């Protein structure tokens, strides 16, 4: 977050102060919306990586999914179908998170362009 605040040009601070905004107003109405737009993509990517690399809601993990698929494959002798189903479940988790990230980015971009137009 510190880097995103530092990425906002100094002119934005100066412009906010020039139109009479104090520090909290400038931060809330000018700086933080721009910083959020910069920060959301890397933070979202980190969150998605954490979900992929660790347990998801302490209930389902990727190794548990594959172990269950291996146990079923040893009984049914159809490993390909089970592994494809496991991959689709994993893809579903990742896709939902990616869609949420995309919606958040679009909302922030739309909000910023709307505020600039005002």
């Amino acid at each position: 977050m510190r880097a995103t605040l530092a990425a906002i040009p100094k002119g934005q601070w100066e412009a906010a102060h020039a139109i009479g905004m104090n520090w909290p107003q400038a931060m809330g109405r000018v700086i933080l919306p721009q910083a959020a737009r910069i920060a959301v993509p890397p933070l979202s990517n980190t969150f998605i990586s954490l979900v992929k690399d660790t347990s998801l809601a302490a209930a389902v993990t990727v190794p548990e999914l594959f172990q269950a698929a291996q146990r079923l494959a040893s009984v049914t002798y159809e490993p390909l179908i089970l592994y494809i189903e496991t991959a689709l479940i994993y893809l579903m988790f990742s896709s939902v998170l990616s869609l949420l990230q995309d919606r958040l980015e679009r909302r922030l971009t739309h909000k910023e362009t709307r505020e600039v137009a005002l």
Side-chain angles (χ1 to χ4, degrees):
M1 291 307 296
R2 183 177 178 190
T4 59
L5 290 175
I8 305 301
K10 188 177 179 183
Q12 296 294 319
W13 286 99
E14 293 170 354
H17 290 294
I19 61 171
M21 289 185 178
N22 57 20
W23 189 86
Q25 289 175 328
M27 185 63 88
R29 294 183 179 184
V30 178
I31 305 303
L32 285 180
Q34 293 179 37
R37 184 174 177 219
I38 295 170
V40 164
L43 287 175
S44 299
N45 290 336
T46 302
F47 177 71
I48 291 170
S49 295
L50 282 172
V51 169
K52 288 180 180 179
D53 295 340
T54 62
S55 65
L56 176 65
V60 179
T61 63
V62 175
E64 288 175 357
L65 283 172
F66 281 108
Q67 287 173 0
Q70 286 175 343
R71 276 186 253 126
L72 286 172
S74 67
V75 174
T76 62
Y77 301 108
E78 295 180 5
L80 184 62
I81 293 171
L82 293 170
Y83 290 147
I84 289 173
E85 288 176 0
T86 303
L88 289 175
I89 291 170
Y90 186 69
L91 180 65
M92 182 184 66
F93 288 145
S94 302
S95 297
V96 167
L97 293 172
S98 295
L99 287 173
L100 290 173
Q101 175 188 1
D102 186 51
R103 287 187 68 192
L104 182 60
E105 287 179 18
R106 286 179 192 221
R107 185 173 182 174
L108 287 173
T109 302
H110 179 68
K111 184 177 181 181
E112 184 173 300
T113 56
R114 187 175 63 227
E115 287 178 357
V116 170
L118 294 174

